[in-house]
């Protein structure tokens, strides 16, 4: 059960550690999909070469998905990281007033 907000006493709070993990995972997933899609359906020199060698097209899609996933995970991590309040304890964010606070365990 999440603690109430220390500013407005609202019960609508989320754990920022969980939000950070979800943001990193979602960023990696979206980055991987974007990288693979852009690699497979891009117009340019790679398509003409890879039309003759379909395995090189798959390999380039895997490399693009990996690098896109890494970039997406970093972006997802940074989007949530700035919300963290300084100090020790479990970080929480109130969805009612936007107050970030920590609760010592």
């Amino acid at each position: 059960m999440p603690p109430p907000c220390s500013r407005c006493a609202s019960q609508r709070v989320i754990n920022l550690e969980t939000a950070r993990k979800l943001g990193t995972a979602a960023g990696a997933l979206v980055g991987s999909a974007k990288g693979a899609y852009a690699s497979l359906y891009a117009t340019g020199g790679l398509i003409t070469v890879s039309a003759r060698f379909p395995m090189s097209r798959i390999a380039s899609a895997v490399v693009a998905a990996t690098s896109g996933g890494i970039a997406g995970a970093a972006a997802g991590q940074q989007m949530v990281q700035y919300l963290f309040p300084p100090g020790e304890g479990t970080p929480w964010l109130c969805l009612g007033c936007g107050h970030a606070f920590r609760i010592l365990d």
Side-chain angles (χ1 to χ4, degrees):
M1 179 94 181
C5 177
S6 59
R7 182 184 289 169
C8 69
S10 173
Q11 291 291 331
R12 298 179 313 168
V13 294
I14 60 170
N15 186 332
L16 285 177
E17 285 293 332
T18 304
R20 181 184 57 83
K21 291 175 186 174
L22 288 174
T24 302
L29 181 65
V30 170
S32 296
K34 181 186 176 296
Y37 179 80
S39 175
L40 288 174
Y41 297 105
T43 58
L46 181 62
I47 298 300
T48 58
V49 172
S50 64
R52 287 178 267 147
F53 302 106
M55 292 306 285
S56 67
R57 188 173 181 182
I58 292 171
S60 67
V62 169
V63 169
T66 302
S67 62
I70 293 169
Q77 167 79 14
Q78 286 186 348
M79 283 193 311
V80 177
Q81 191 68 32
Y82 81 93
L83 294 172
F84 277 57
E88 296 293 322
T90 306
W92 295 90
L93 176 68
C94 178
L95 298 176
C97 67
H99 176 64
F101 60 97
R102 289 188 182 262
I103 300 291
L104 291 175
D105 297 332

